[in-house]
Amino acid sequence: MKVGLIADIHSNAEAIISVLGRLGDVEEIWCLGDIVGYGPDPARCIDLVRERRHVCVIGNHDLCVLNAIDVSEFNAEAIESCLWNRDHLSGERLAFLRSLPATAEPAPGVILVHGSPRKGIWEYVLSSWQADEILSETDASMIFVGHSHIPLAFMKPGEAPVEYIHLADGQVLELNKKGVRYLINPGSVGQPRDGDPRASYMIFDTESYQVEFHRIAYPVETTQEKMLLAGLPTSLSDRLKAGI
Ligand code: ZN
């Protein structure tokens, strides 16, 4: 089965529409949390994910919109956009967000989680030592995470230390090597932070264990205009153009 792997949509309809268009007829969408928060189209983004066959876990911004976490770790702009997103969602869509699990295992040995298996929604997995510790604590063959908005891949061959794999647009990884396990972040659809403003996503083949990494340009100015019209913080719309 071919699966579209997406994370951190952040209410950016233009970005998710572009990604879903490119994903075409993949059989399922696996979403790693933070459908909402920051951007101007929370309802549309939830509806677009729900239109497809999907497996989705919850992120910290989804929980913020549900008023279900302590926001002391959020900055002022994140809180402001969280409250705006909350005010623009129906009870039925909020119920959908509330129904999302913290983790999912959509295929044997494959874990989906927003931050990390050990710290749920909060851990930014950015370093080899973190990936090594996390992979050492689980038998999972593949862990897909979001949260950092940075596309990354780490491989752990047996008991050997984790190795970092650089990802470039169009890259194909063959991950079916015996005894090798992986931790992978497909990057962010709606608010990339690696200096490349293009939406980020992956395609995962659950049989061959092949992963393709892609970037796609989307009409970022349209999203920015909507944010300004909505009165969302300008720092949040500015960062989309820079990919930071
Ligand atoms: Zn996020």
Side-chain angles (χ1 to χ4, degrees):
M1 176 172 69
K2 281 205 174 182
V3 169
L5 265 172
I6 56 175
D8 297 283
I9 299 165
H10 283 299
S11 301
N12 187 332
E14 287 68 35
I16 186 64
I17 287 166
S18 297
V19 168
L20 290 174
R22 184 67 73 81
L23 281 172
D25 58 0
V26 297
E27 287 156 80
E28 265 183 21
I29 302 291
W30 293 354
C31 174
L32 298 156
D34 281 3
I35 299 176
V36 299
Y38 292 131
D41 279 312
R44 187 85 204 281
C45 289
I46 289 173
D47 294 348
L48 286 164
V49 170
R50 290 173 83 184
E51 275 172 15
R52 304 288 294 255
R53 215 171 94 180
H54 62 270
V55 178
C56 198
V57 295
I58 202 157
N60 55 317
H61 286 261
D62 305 317
L63 285 163
C64 180
V65 164
L66 293 170
N67 198 19
I69 50 165
D70 171 13
V71 294
S72 57
E73 295 203 23
F74 279 53
N75 61 36
E77 290 81 11
I79 292 173
E80 186 180 336
S81 67
C82 167
L83 296 175
W84 189 95
N85 272 242
R86 187 184 299 165
D87 287 344
H88 289 79
L89 284 173
S90 63
E92 198 270 330
R93 292 189 180 97
L94 291 169
F96 167 75
L97 290 180
R98 204 171 290 116
S99 75
L100 298 178
T103 62
E105 191 174 339
V110 179
I111 291 177
L112 313 184
V113 62
H114 185 61
S116 75
R118 60 182 180 180
K119 292 184 181 165
I121 51 168
W122 289 118
E123 185 169 16
Y124 292 93
V125 183
L126 291 166
S127 65
S128 297
W129 67 264
Q130 285 172 294
D132 208 323
E133 285 185 3
I134 291 164
L135 286 165
S136 299
E137 290 166 9
T138 167
D139 294 332
S141 55
M142 190 82 81
I143 302 172
F144 290 112
V145 303
H147 194 45
S148 72
H149 299 204
I150 307 283
L152 292 166
F154 298 100
M155 61 180 277
K156 185 165 175 65
E159 298 302 309
V162 152
E163 293 170 31
Y164 169 74
I165 305 169
H166 178 73
L167 295 173
D169 183 22
Q171 192 168 340
V172 177
L173 305 175
E174 305 287 350
L175 306 182
N176 57 348
K177 301 181 186 79
K178 203 169 172 1
V180 184
R181 299 181 304 121
Y182 301 87
L183 186 148
I184 293 174
N185 187 329
S188 170
V189 171
Q191 194 200 74
R193 293 181 188 163
D194 62 346
D196 183 342
R198 295 176 299 169
S200 190
Y201 68 97
M202 287 180 175
I203 297 171
F204 175 48
D205 187 318
T206 58
E207 273 112 53
S208 66
Y209 263 50
Q210 180 177 290
V211 167
E212 295 171 35
F213 173 65
H214 295 286
R215 305 301 287 254
I216 180 170
Y218 70 93
V220 61
E221 293 84 5
T222 305
T223 311
Q224 289 181 303
E225 280 167 27
K226 287 184 183 176
M227 292 175 79
L228 295 178
L229 278 172
L232 287 161
T234 51
S235 59
L236 294 181
S237 49
D238 288 348
R239 69 187 298 178
L240 293 180
K241 190 88 182 170
I244 53 171

